[in-house]
Amino acid sequence: MPRLRQVVLDATDAPALAEFYRRLLGFTLRPGDGDDWAVLLDASGTARLAFQQVAALPPPTWPDGPRPQMLHLDLTVETRAELDEQHERALSLGARLLADNAEDPEEPLRVYADPAGHPFCLFVG
């Protein structure tokens, strides 16, 4: 069977989007990557996310509008307190809140757009 190597996100500013996720997730940037391609590595050195430069990319308009999301990342934290803490971090790094279901007793979560417009979820898992 094939193995998933990494998830690749298109971006009109691949280095900036890589930096957003590097800071959000605590990953490291793979040495030697340039302006058109960037890979983030976890603490074990495994590639997790990559960013590919594109000339134009209209952001998704999720949850409404003509351009649905094609993919999103699910990120988890252990507690509701961590959800609130990471909410503030995500916003300070440039994320934009799209939906807030933090009060859901079964699955507290928030949905954000990263600086390029890609949606991602942060929930208690």
Side-chain angles (χ1 to χ4, degrees):
M1 291 290 186
R3 292 176 305 192
L4 179 65
R5 178 181 173 113
Q6 62 202 3
V7 175
V8 180
L9 298 176
D10 288 349
T12 56
D13 188 344
L17 192 59
E19 178 63 10
F20 169 81
Y21 280 104
R22 185 195 69 74
R23 293 177 64 202
L24 182 68
L25 299 172
F27 290 165
T28 59
L29 184 62
R30 184 176 68 183
D33 286 340
D35 291 339
D36 61 344
W37 184 257
V39 177
L40 294 180
L41 310 173
D42 66 14
S44 72
T46 301
R48 294 295 180 176
L49 285 174
F51 305 88
Q52 175 175 266
Q53 185 74 26
V54 295
L57 182 69
T61 55
W62 186 94
D64 301 312
R67 292 183 309 277
Q69 63 180 342
M70 297 287 293
L71 168 141
H72 74 271
L73 302 175
D74 280 345
L75 310 175
T76 62
V77 294
E78 297 290 323
T79 67
R80 173 61 202 277
E82 285 179 278
L83 179 65
D84 292 339
E85 179 183 323
Q86 295 306 316
H87 167 73
E88 295 303 325
R89 272 192 73 244
L91 294 177
S92 74
L93 293 172
R96 182 172 41 92
L97 183 65
L98 298 178
D100 190 341
N101 295 324
E103 300 301 324
D104 185 316
E106 293 185 29
E107 188 176 59
L109 71 94
R110 291 185 174 109
V111 182
Y112 303 87
D114 67 25
H118 302 102
F120 68 93
C121 297
L122 183 56
F123 62 95
V124 178

